[in-house]
Amino acid sequence: MRFPESEQPEDSSASLDAVAGPSSVGLDHPGPSNGHLNGNGFAAVTNGASVASAAGNGVPKHNGHSKQSSAPSHSLSVARVTLPGSSLYDDSDVDREEFVRLVIQSLRDVGYIESAATLEAESGYAMETSDVADFRRFILEARWSKAENALQRLGVRDREGLWDARFLISQQKYLELLEAQQTTDALHVLRNELAPLDVDSEQLHTLASLMMCSEPEDLRQRAGWDGAAGNSRRILLDNLQRYIPPSTMVPPRRFATLLHQANVYQRQQCVYHNVPTSTTGFSLFSDHQCDETGFPRVTTTILKVHSDEVWMLEWSRDGNFLASSSNDKSVIIWGNGPEEWEQRHVLIHPYPVISMAWSLDDSILLAGSEHHIKMWNTKTGVCLRTLDEHSEQVTALVWLPDNSGFLSAGMDFKIVLWNTEGQRRDVWGILPVRVAHMVITPDFTRLVAIGMRAPLPVDPRENDPAAPAANGAPTSSPPPKDEHRLLVFDFATRRNEWSTLFDGELTSLSVSQNSQYALISRSPDDIQLWDLNTGRMARKYTGQRQSKDIIRSCFGGFESNFVISGSEDSNVYVWHRDTGVLLEVLEGHGEGSVNCVAWNPRNERMFASCSDDGTIRIWEAPPPEMMLESPSASIAPDYPQVATKGKGKTRQRWDDGA
C-alpha cells in the first residue's frame, strides 16, 4: 500500500519529499559515539539500537515490543523515488509494491528497523496500515474488545470467518482470566461470548471443564497452552492471520517462507540430491545442484561366503552391521571394521530365512523361516529363543518403534504381537490376505501390509461335521488368480483405513521416512509409489525386470529421495523418487537375479545388494583419488579386485597395481 499524497508516515519525522532516514548518516554528519565507520563511509549502527518508527506502525517495535533509542538520532533527507509502471522489472511479473513491502517486513524481522523506515519513506509503500499495527498491539496488550472491533476494518466481513476469529479472541481472553484466577469473569466470557458463537458442544464442554483447574500450571497443561506470559498471544495472531486478507496483513516471515519454498523446489529438481559427507547451507547466490559424482555407484567391497543364492539383506539400526540370508540356510552378520568388512557370526537355520528384523538397540536379530522365528543375540551369535506360533511361513517381522515388542506375520493369515522377550501378547485376528510383507510407518500411526487375496480360512467341519481338521490348520479355497491386496491399518485402533486390489504378485513393501509413501514391487516389471494419505498411486518406476523371482526394492538416500531395486537381468536400478527419472543402471553382479537391495540407514552414500551369484556388493560414492584419475566415470568400471584370504570376500582396488 502507498502512503496518501496528503499524509506522511505515522510517527515519521520528515515530509514525503524529505523523509526521515536512519540515525546513521553520511560523512557530513556525526555518527554514533563509537565512531566506527562501515565500508561505505557511513557510521555503523547496531541493529535496532536507535529506532525510528516504521511507517504505518503507530509505535516503534522490534519483535513485537517497543524499543527506545539509546543514542541520539540524526536525520538524513531521503527523497521519495517515483518509478514508472508497477512491476519490479520491465520483464517481471512480480508486483513492485508487494516485493517492497516484503523487504520492509524482513528488515524489521531481523532488526534493521531504521532501514525499514527509510525504505518505506523512499518507496512510498507502507508495509501495513495503522489499523493493522493497532490490531497487533491490541492482541499483544490483551485489549480484546478493541481487537474484535478492528476485525471488520481489516476486511474480515465473511460471517463465518468473523465468528471464528471472534471465538479465537474470546477463547484467549477466557484462558487468561482463568490463569489469573478470575473465575467469575471467565464464566461470564464463557456464557456470553463463547457460547453464542455456535461453538461445537464438545469443544465448549472441554473449555468449561478447565474451570475445575485449581492451579494455573494445571490449566496450562490441560489446555496445551503456555499462558499469557508465553507465546500464546503471538500464536493467536498467527491463527487470526488466516481470516485477514494477506494484502492487508502480511503473513509473518513471508520472504523466509518463499525462500524455503524455493529451496524445497530446487532440491526436488536436483535428481542426485543427497546429503554429502559434510553438509553446506542453502546459498541464495546460486541454484542448488548436487554433483552426481557423489552418488554411490561404485562397488567398494564384495562379500562372498554364502554357498548359494543370497535372498535378503537387513541393515542394523546404527548402519554398522549387515545381516544377509541365503538359500544355504544361513544368516551371516557382517561388521564394518576400521579397514574392511568382517564376518562376525554365521547363524544356522533348518530352513532358508525369508524375513529379518533388528531390535532398536541392535542387540537382537529376529529371523523367520518356514513356520518359526529365532531370536539371536547379535553380540554372541547365540539363539535366545525359538517361537512357533505360526502354522505357515513367517514372511514379515517388524520391531515396534516404541520398543515394546515386535510383530510377526505370515502366510497363515494372521499377525502376532510379541513382547521383547519373545512372549506372545496378542493376535490381530484373521486377515483377508496371506501376508507377504508388512511395515509400520516411522510415525507409528499405520501398519501397511501386502499379500495374496484369499477368502477367510474356514474349518472344513463347519460344512462337513465328519471331515477332520488338518492338524487344526485353517483351510480355504484357492485365491482368485493374480489378485493381491495392499492394506493400510490405523495402528492404534487396528481399523482397516483402505485397501486396493492388484493383478500380479506383490513381492516387497517399504515406507518412506516421512511416513507418506509406500513402495510396492509388483510382478511383472513394475514398481509403484502409493500415497498413504490419499490412497492413490503417485508414480511408477520401470526398466527393471521381474517376472518369476521375488525382488525387494526400497527407498534410499537423504529424505528417501531415491528408489532402488534389483532385477532379473543382474543389474541394480536407481530412480529419482519424485520425478521417476532413471538415474543409474549399475552392473557388476554375475548371472541371475539381484534379489534384494538395502540402503544404509545412517550413511546416505552407501547401499548393499545381493544376488543369485552368491555375493553381496557394498556400493559407495567413488573416492576422491578415483575421481581425480577418472572424473568422467559414471558407472562402476571393472577395476582389479584383490582377494582377501580367509575372509571369503574381495575388495576393490583404486590403483592398477597388483
PDB file of all heavy atoms in Angstrom, residues 2 16 80 100 114 120-121 149 186 191 216 226 230 233 262 272 287 314 324 353 373 389 444 450 453 470 580 606:
ATOM      1  N   ARG A   2       0.442   2.291  -0.661  1.00  0.00           N
ATOM      2  CA  ARG A   2       1.229   3.509  -0.788  1.00  0.00           C
ATOM      3  C   ARG A   2       0.687   4.562   0.166  1.00  0.00           C
ATOM      4  O   ARG A   2      -0.504   4.647   0.423  1.00  0.00           O
ATOM      5  CB  ARG A   2       1.153   4.027  -2.225  1.00  0.00           C
ATOM      6  CG  ARG A   2       1.985   5.263  -2.474  1.00  0.00           C
ATOM      7  CD  ARG A   2       1.881   5.708  -3.926  1.00  0.00           C
ATOM      8  NE  ARG A   2       2.556   4.788  -4.821  1.00  0.00           N
ATOM      9  CZ  ARG A   2       3.867   4.815  -5.064  1.00  0.00           C
ATOM     10  NH1 ARG A   2       4.628   5.709  -4.461  1.00  0.00           N
ATOM     11  NH2 ARG A   2       4.418   3.976  -5.898  1.00  0.00           N
ATOM     12  N   LEU A  16       6.956  13.958   2.909  1.00  0.00           N
ATOM     13  CA  LEU A  16       7.033  12.933   1.872  1.00  0.00           C
ATOM     14  C   LEU A  16       8.233  13.124   0.978  1.00  0.00           C
ATOM     15  O   LEU A  16       8.824  12.175   0.501  1.00  0.00           O
ATOM     16  CB  LEU A  16       5.746  12.936   1.046  1.00  0.00           C
ATOM     17  CG  LEU A  16       4.521  12.357   1.757  1.00  0.00           C
ATOM     18  CD1 LEU A  16       3.291  12.556   0.899  1.00  0.00           C
ATOM     19  CD2 LEU A  16       4.716  10.901   2.076  1.00  0.00           C
ATOM     20  N   ARG A  80      11.520  10.780  -1.992  1.00  0.00           N
ATOM     21  CA  ARG A  80      10.727   9.677  -2.498  1.00  0.00           C
ATOM     22  C   ARG A  80      11.074   9.421  -3.955  1.00  0.00           C
ATOM     23  O   ARG A  80      11.219  10.332  -4.758  1.00  0.00           O
ATOM     24  CB  ARG A  80       9.245   9.986  -2.368  1.00  0.00           C
ATOM     25  CG  ARG A  80       8.367   8.936  -3.050  1.00  0.00           C
ATOM     26  CD  ARG A  80       6.895   9.235  -2.928  1.00  0.00           C
ATOM     27  NE  ARG A  80       6.452   9.022  -1.549  1.00  0.00           N
ATOM     28  CZ  ARG A  80       5.192   9.233  -1.145  1.00  0.00           C
ATOM     29  NH1 ARG A  80       4.304   9.677  -2.002  1.00  0.00           N
ATOM     30  NH2 ARG A  80       4.869   9.024   0.107  1.00  0.00           N
ATOM     31  N   VAL A 100       8.403  -4.790  -2.253  1.00  0.00           N
ATOM     32  CA  VAL A 100       8.979  -3.817  -1.323  1.00  0.00           C
ATOM     33  C   VAL A 100       8.408  -4.018   0.078  1.00  0.00           C
ATOM     34  O   VAL A 100       9.133  -3.947   1.082  1.00  0.00           O
ATOM     35  CB  VAL A 100       8.736  -2.384  -1.830  1.00  0.00           C
ATOM     36  CG1 VAL A 100       9.145  -1.359  -0.768  1.00  0.00           C
ATOM     37  CG2 VAL A 100       9.512  -2.131  -3.111  1.00  0.00           C
ATOM     38  N   GLU A 114      15.393   0.989  11.354  1.00  0.00           N
ATOM     39  CA  GLU A 114      15.519   2.290  10.693  1.00  0.00           C
ATOM     40  C   GLU A 114      15.649   2.130   9.178  1.00  0.00           C
ATOM     41  O   GLU A 114      15.142   2.948   8.413  1.00  0.00           O
ATOM     42  CB  GLU A 114      16.719   3.038  11.262  1.00  0.00           C
ATOM     43  CG  GLU A 114      16.541   3.400  12.737  1.00  0.00           C
ATOM     44  CD  GLU A 114      17.730   4.172  13.265  1.00  0.00           C
ATOM     45  OE1 GLU A 114      17.852   5.362  12.939  1.00  0.00           O
ATOM     46  OE2 GLU A 114      18.534   3.562  13.982  1.00  0.00           O
ATOM     47  N   GLU A 120      10.445   2.532   3.495  1.00  0.00           N
ATOM     48  CA  GLU A 120       9.047   2.943   3.407  1.00  0.00           C
ATOM     49  C   GLU A 120       8.938   4.377   2.920  1.00  0.00           C
ATOM     50  O   GLU A 120       8.107   4.702   2.066  1.00  0.00           O
ATOM     51  CB  GLU A 120       8.372   2.804   4.774  1.00  0.00           C
ATOM     52  CG  GLU A 120       8.021   1.385   5.168  1.00  0.00           C
ATOM     53  CD  GLU A 120       7.191   1.319   6.432  1.00  0.00           C
ATOM     54  OE1 GLU A 120       7.566   2.000   7.408  1.00  0.00           O
ATOM     55  OE2 GLU A 120       6.192   0.589   6.452  1.00  0.00           O
ATOM     56  N   ALA A 121       9.797   5.243   3.459  1.00  0.00           N
ATOM     57  CA  ALA A 121       9.753   6.650   3.080  1.00  0.00           C
ATOM     58  C   ALA A 121      10.162   6.853   1.629  1.00  0.00           C
ATOM     59  O   ALA A 121       9.532   7.592   0.881  1.00  0.00           O
ATOM     60  CB  ALA A 121      10.671   7.452   4.011  1.00  0.00           C
ATOM     61  N   ASN A 149     -13.307  -5.222  17.566  1.00  0.00           N
ATOM     62  CA  ASN A 149     -13.866  -4.128  16.769  1.00  0.00           C
ATOM     63  C   ASN A 149     -13.037  -3.850  15.525  1.00  0.00           C
ATOM     64  O   ASN A 149     -13.554  -3.371  14.510  1.00  0.00           O
ATOM     65  CB  ASN A 149     -13.980  -2.858  17.618  1.00  0.00           C
ATOM     66  CG  ASN A 149     -14.998  -3.001  18.739  1.00  0.00           C
ATOM     67  OD1 ASN A 149     -15.934  -3.805  18.634  1.00  0.00           O
ATOM     68  ND2 ASN A 149     -14.833  -2.247  19.809  1.00  0.00           N
ATOM     69  N   ALA A 186     -14.283 -15.103  33.958  1.00  0.00           N
ATOM     70  CA  ALA A 186     -14.101 -16.155  32.953  1.00  0.00           C
ATOM     71  C   ALA A 186     -15.440 -16.827  32.634  1.00  0.00           C
ATOM     72  O   ALA A 186     -15.750 -17.113  31.466  1.00  0.00           O
ATOM     73  CB  ALA A 186     -13.093 -17.189  33.438  1.00  0.00           C
ATOM     74  N   ARG A 191     -20.167 -17.855  29.024  1.00  0.00           N
ATOM     75  CA  ARG A 191     -21.610 -17.852  28.779  1.00  0.00           C
ATOM     76  C   ARG A 191     -22.043 -16.822  27.743  1.00  0.00           C
ATOM     77  O   ARG A 191     -22.921 -17.096  26.920  1.00  0.00           O
ATOM     78  CB  ARG A 191     -22.348 -17.581  30.099  1.00  0.00           C
ATOM     79  CG  ARG A 191     -22.288 -18.735  31.088  1.00  0.00           C
ATOM     80  CD  ARG A 191     -22.949 -18.332  32.397  1.00  0.00           C
ATOM     81  NE  ARG A 191     -23.071 -19.466  33.322  1.00  0.00           N
ATOM     82  CZ  ARG A 191     -23.499 -19.358  34.578  1.00  0.00           C
ATOM     83  NH1 ARG A 191     -23.873 -18.162  35.063  1.00  0.00           N
ATOM     84  NH2 ARG A 191     -23.579 -20.419  35.353  1.00  0.00           N
ATOM     85  N   PRO A 216      -2.810 -22.514  38.087  1.00  0.00           N
ATOM     86  CA  PRO A 216      -2.522 -22.074  36.716  1.00  0.00           C
ATOM     87  C   PRO A 216      -1.703 -23.090  35.920  1.00  0.00           C
ATOM     88  O   PRO A 216      -1.935 -23.270  34.716  1.00  0.00           O
ATOM     89  CB  PRO A 216      -1.756 -20.765  36.912  1.00  0.00           C
ATOM     90  CG  PRO A 216      -2.206 -20.252  38.245  1.00  0.00           C
ATOM     91  CD  PRO A 216      -2.441 -21.470  39.069  1.00  0.00           C
ATOM     92  N   ASP A 226       0.496 -22.093  26.696  1.00  0.00           N
ATOM     93  CA  ASP A 226       1.654 -21.693  27.503  1.00  0.00           C
ATOM     94  C   ASP A 226       1.444 -20.414  28.305  1.00  0.00           C
ATOM     95  O   ASP A 226       2.385 -19.874  28.895  1.00  0.00           O
ATOM     96  CB  ASP A 226       2.910 -21.573  26.633  1.00  0.00           C
ATOM     97  CG  ASP A 226       2.846 -20.416  25.652  1.00  0.00           C
ATOM     98  OD1 ASP A 226       1.779 -19.778  25.552  1.00  0.00           O
ATOM     99  OD2 ASP A 226       3.866 -20.156  24.987  1.00  0.00           O
ATOM    100  N   GLY A 230       3.647 -16.400  27.910  1.00  0.00           N
ATOM    101  CA  GLY A 230       4.378 -17.184  26.923  1.00  0.00           C
ATOM    102  C   GLY A 230       4.170 -16.660  25.514  1.00  0.00           C
ATOM    103  O   GLY A 230       4.081 -15.444  25.296  1.00  0.00           O
ATOM    104  N   ARG A 233      -0.159 -15.313  22.802  1.00  0.00           N
ATOM    105  CA  ARG A 233      -0.741 -14.184  22.064  1.00  0.00           C
ATOM    106  C   ARG A 233      -0.168 -14.091  20.655  1.00  0.00           C
ATOM    107  O   ARG A 233      -0.886 -13.734  19.710  1.00  0.00           O
ATOM    108  CB  ARG A 233      -0.504 -12.879  22.827  1.00  0.00           C
ATOM    109  CG  ARG A 233      -1.248 -12.809  24.151  1.00  0.00           C
ATOM    110  CD  ARG A 233      -0.968 -11.522  24.896  1.00  0.00           C
ATOM    111  NE  ARG A 233      -1.575 -11.534  26.231  1.00  0.00           N
ATOM    112  CZ  ARG A 233      -1.389 -10.586  27.152  1.00  0.00           C
ATOM    113  NH1 ARG A 233      -0.608  -9.543  26.870  1.00  0.00           N
ATOM    114  NH2 ARG A 233      -1.968 -10.683  28.325  1.00  0.00           N
ATOM    115  N   ALA A 262      11.494 -22.080  -2.387  1.00  0.00           N
ATOM    116  CA  ALA A 262      12.455 -22.150  -3.486  1.00  0.00           C
ATOM    117  C   ALA A 262      13.510 -23.221  -3.218  1.00  0.00           C
ATOM    118  O   ALA A 262      13.914 -23.959  -4.127  1.00  0.00           O
ATOM    119  CB  ALA A 262      13.122 -20.779  -3.684  1.00  0.00           C
ATOM    120  N   TYR A 272      19.977 -35.825  -8.214  1.00  0.00           N
ATOM    121  CA  TYR A 272      21.026 -36.524  -7.458  1.00  0.00           C
ATOM    122  C   TYR A 272      21.157 -35.974  -6.035  1.00  0.00           C
ATOM    123  O   TYR A 272      22.165 -36.210  -5.380  1.00  0.00           O
ATOM    124  CB  TYR A 272      22.374 -36.402  -8.168  1.00  0.00           C
ATOM    125  CG  TYR A 272      22.546 -37.404  -9.293  1.00  0.00           C
ATOM    126  CD1 TYR A 272      22.316 -37.043 -10.615  1.00  0.00           C
ATOM    127  CD2 TYR A 272      22.934 -38.713  -9.037  1.00  0.00           C
ATOM    128  CE1 TYR A 272      22.468 -37.948 -11.653  1.00  0.00           C
ATOM    129  CE2 TYR A 272      23.087 -39.633 -10.056  1.00  0.00           C
ATOM    130  CZ  TYR A 272      22.858 -39.252 -11.358  1.00  0.00           C
ATOM    131  OH  TYR A 272      23.003 -40.167 -12.374  1.00  0.00           O
ATOM    132  N   ASP A 287      21.708 -21.470  -7.819  1.00  0.00           N
ATOM    133  CA  ASP A 287      20.746 -22.560  -7.718  1.00  0.00           C
ATOM    134  C   ASP A 287      21.433 -23.794  -7.140  1.00  0.00           C
ATOM    135  O   ASP A 287      22.609 -24.054  -7.403  1.00  0.00           O
ATOM    136  CB  ASP A 287      20.165 -22.899  -9.093  1.00  0.00           C
ATOM    137  CG  ASP A 287      19.242 -21.817  -9.608  1.00  0.00           C
ATOM    138  OD1 ASP A 287      18.821 -20.956  -8.801  1.00  0.00           O
ATOM    139  OD2 ASP A 287      18.947 -21.796 -10.821  1.00  0.00           O
ATOM    140  N   GLU A 314      19.496 -56.978   5.512  1.00  0.00           N
ATOM    141  CA  GLU A 314      18.874 -56.106   6.508  1.00  0.00           C
ATOM    142  C   GLU A 314      19.975 -55.402   7.299  1.00  0.00           C
ATOM    143  O   GLU A 314      20.803 -56.043   7.945  1.00  0.00           O
ATOM    144  CB  GLU A 314      18.000 -56.921   7.458  1.00  0.00           C
ATOM    145  CG  GLU A 314      17.081 -56.091   8.325  1.00  0.00           C
ATOM    146  CD  GLU A 314      15.876 -55.546   7.571  1.00  0.00           C
ATOM    147  OE1 GLU A 314      15.493 -56.146   6.537  1.00  0.00           O
ATOM    148  OE2 GLU A 314      15.320 -54.518   8.010  1.00  0.00           O
ATOM    149  N   SER A 324      22.706 -60.934   6.206  1.00  0.00           N
ATOM    150  CA  SER A 324      22.350 -61.498   4.908  1.00  0.00           C
ATOM    151  C   SER A 324      21.815 -62.911   5.101  1.00  0.00           C
ATOM    152  O   SER A 324      22.322 -63.669   5.927  1.00  0.00           O
ATOM    153  CB  SER A 324      23.563 -61.520   3.973  1.00  0.00           C
ATOM    154  OG  SER A 324      24.606 -62.325   4.516  1.00  0.00           O
ATOM    155  N   VAL A 353      16.049 -68.509   5.517  1.00  0.00           N
ATOM    156  CA  VAL A 353      15.397 -67.388   6.206  1.00  0.00           C
ATOM    157  C   VAL A 353      14.826 -66.428   5.171  1.00  0.00           C
ATOM    158  O   VAL A 353      15.523 -66.016   4.239  1.00  0.00           O
ATOM    159  CB  VAL A 353      16.398 -66.672   7.128  1.00  0.00           C
ATOM    160  CG1 VAL A 353      15.830 -65.356   7.635  1.00  0.00           C
ATOM    161  CG2 VAL A 353      16.770 -67.577   8.297  1.00  0.00           C
ATOM    162  N   ILE A 373      10.246 -68.603  14.284  1.00  0.00           N
ATOM    163  CA  ILE A 373      11.077 -67.400  14.407  1.00  0.00           C
ATOM    164  C   ILE A 373      12.178 -67.699  15.414  1.00  0.00           C
ATOM    165  O   ILE A 373      11.924 -68.239  16.497  1.00  0.00           O
ATOM    166  CB  ILE A 373      10.247 -66.205  14.917  1.00  0.00           C
ATOM    167  CG1 ILE A 373       9.041 -65.947  14.005  1.00  0.00           C
ATOM    168  CG2 ILE A 373      11.113 -64.953  15.038  1.00  0.00           C
ATOM    169  CD1 ILE A 373       7.999 -65.052  14.627  1.00  0.00           C
ATOM    170  N   GLU A 389       4.585 -69.916  16.937  1.00  0.00           N
ATOM    171  CA  GLU A 389       3.168 -69.555  16.941  1.00  0.00           C
ATOM    172  C   GLU A 389       2.520 -69.722  15.569  1.00  0.00           C
ATOM    173  O   GLU A 389       1.348 -70.071  15.472  1.00  0.00           O
ATOM    174  CB  GLU A 389       3.019 -68.100  17.414  1.00  0.00           C
ATOM    175  CG  GLU A 389       1.596 -67.583  17.425  1.00  0.00           C
ATOM    176  CD  GLU A 389       0.726 -68.276  18.472  1.00  0.00           C
ATOM    177  OE1 GLU A 389       1.286 -68.790  19.467  1.00  0.00           O
ATOM    178  OE2 GLU A 389      -0.503 -68.310  18.286  1.00  0.00           O
ATOM    179  N   PHE A 444       4.589 -44.281  13.542  1.00  0.00           N
ATOM    180  CA  PHE A 444       3.887 -45.206  14.424  1.00  0.00           C
ATOM    181  C   PHE A 444       2.358 -45.035  14.355  1.00  0.00           C
ATOM    182  O   PHE A 444       1.659 -45.279  15.337  1.00  0.00           O
ATOM    183  CB  PHE A 444       4.369 -45.034  15.873  1.00  0.00           C
ATOM    184  CG  PHE A 444       4.224 -46.275  16.727  1.00  0.00           C
ATOM    185  CD1 PHE A 444       3.774 -47.475  16.197  1.00  0.00           C
ATOM    186  CD2 PHE A 444       4.521 -46.230  18.084  1.00  0.00           C
ATOM    187  CE1 PHE A 444       3.643 -48.607  17.001  1.00  0.00           C
ATOM    188  CE2 PHE A 444       4.386 -47.347  18.900  1.00  0.00           C
ATOM    189  CZ  PHE A 444       3.946 -48.541  18.348  1.00  0.00           C
ATOM    190  N   ILE A 450       1.016 -56.172   2.517  1.00  0.00           N
ATOM    191  CA  ILE A 450       0.654 -56.674   1.200  1.00  0.00           C
ATOM    192  C   ILE A 450       0.534 -58.180   1.292  1.00  0.00           C
ATOM    193  O   ILE A 450       1.157 -58.820   2.144  1.00  0.00           O
ATOM    194  CB  ILE A 450       1.680 -56.292   0.113  1.00  0.00           C
ATOM    195  CG1 ILE A 450       3.076 -56.824   0.489  1.00  0.00           C
ATOM    196  CG2 ILE A 450       1.711 -54.797  -0.122  1.00  0.00           C
ATOM    197  CD1 ILE A 450       4.115 -56.647  -0.613  1.00  0.00           C
ATOM    198  N   ARG A 453      -4.636 -62.186  -1.978  1.00  0.00           N
ATOM    199  CA  ARG A 453      -6.036 -62.141  -1.595  1.00  0.00           C
ATOM    200  C   ARG A 453      -6.580 -63.557  -1.492  1.00  0.00           C
ATOM    201  O   ARG A 453      -6.325 -64.404  -2.349  1.00  0.00           O
ATOM    202  CB  ARG A 453      -6.843 -61.357  -2.625  1.00  0.00           C
ATOM    203  CG  ARG A 453      -8.308 -61.188  -2.249  1.00  0.00           C
ATOM    204  CD  ARG A 453      -9.096 -60.595  -3.389  1.00  0.00           C
ATOM    205  NE  ARG A 453     -10.488 -60.391  -3.027  1.00  0.00           N
ATOM    206  CZ  ARG A 453     -11.464 -60.306  -3.893  1.00  0.00           C
ATOM    207  NH1 ARG A 453     -11.219 -60.407  -5.187  1.00  0.00           N
ATOM    208  NH2 ARG A 453     -12.700 -60.099  -3.500  1.00  0.00           N
ATOM    209  N   ALA A 470      -7.298 -80.503   9.465  1.00  0.00           N
ATOM    210  CA  ALA A 470      -5.909 -80.860   9.145  1.00  0.00           C
ATOM    211  C   ALA A 470      -4.991 -80.284  10.207  1.00  0.00           C
ATOM    212  O   ALA A 470      -4.440 -79.204  10.047  1.00  0.00           O
ATOM    213  CB  ALA A 470      -5.543 -80.360   7.760  1.00  0.00           C
ATOM    214  N   GLY A 580      10.672 -39.740 -11.125  1.00  0.00           N
ATOM    215  CA  GLY A 580      10.643 -41.018 -11.813  1.00  0.00           C
ATOM    216  C   GLY A 580      11.773 -41.200 -12.812  1.00  0.00           C
ATOM    217  O   GLY A 580      11.788 -42.180 -13.559  1.00  0.00           O
ATOM    218  N   MET A 606      25.739 -44.999   0.900  1.00  0.00           N
ATOM    219  CA  MET A 606      26.091 -46.423   0.884  1.00  0.00           C
ATOM    220  C   MET A 606      24.833 -47.282   0.814  1.00  0.00           C
ATOM    221  O   MET A 606      23.860 -47.032   1.518  1.00  0.00           O
ATOM    222  CB  MET A 606      26.877 -46.798   2.147  1.00  0.00           C
ATOM    223  CG  MET A 606      27.204 -48.300   2.264  1.00  0.00           C
ATOM    224  SD  MET A 606      27.923 -48.743   3.867  1.00  0.00           S
ATOM    225  CE  MET A 606      29.534 -47.971   3.730  1.00  0.00           C
TER     226      MET A 606
END
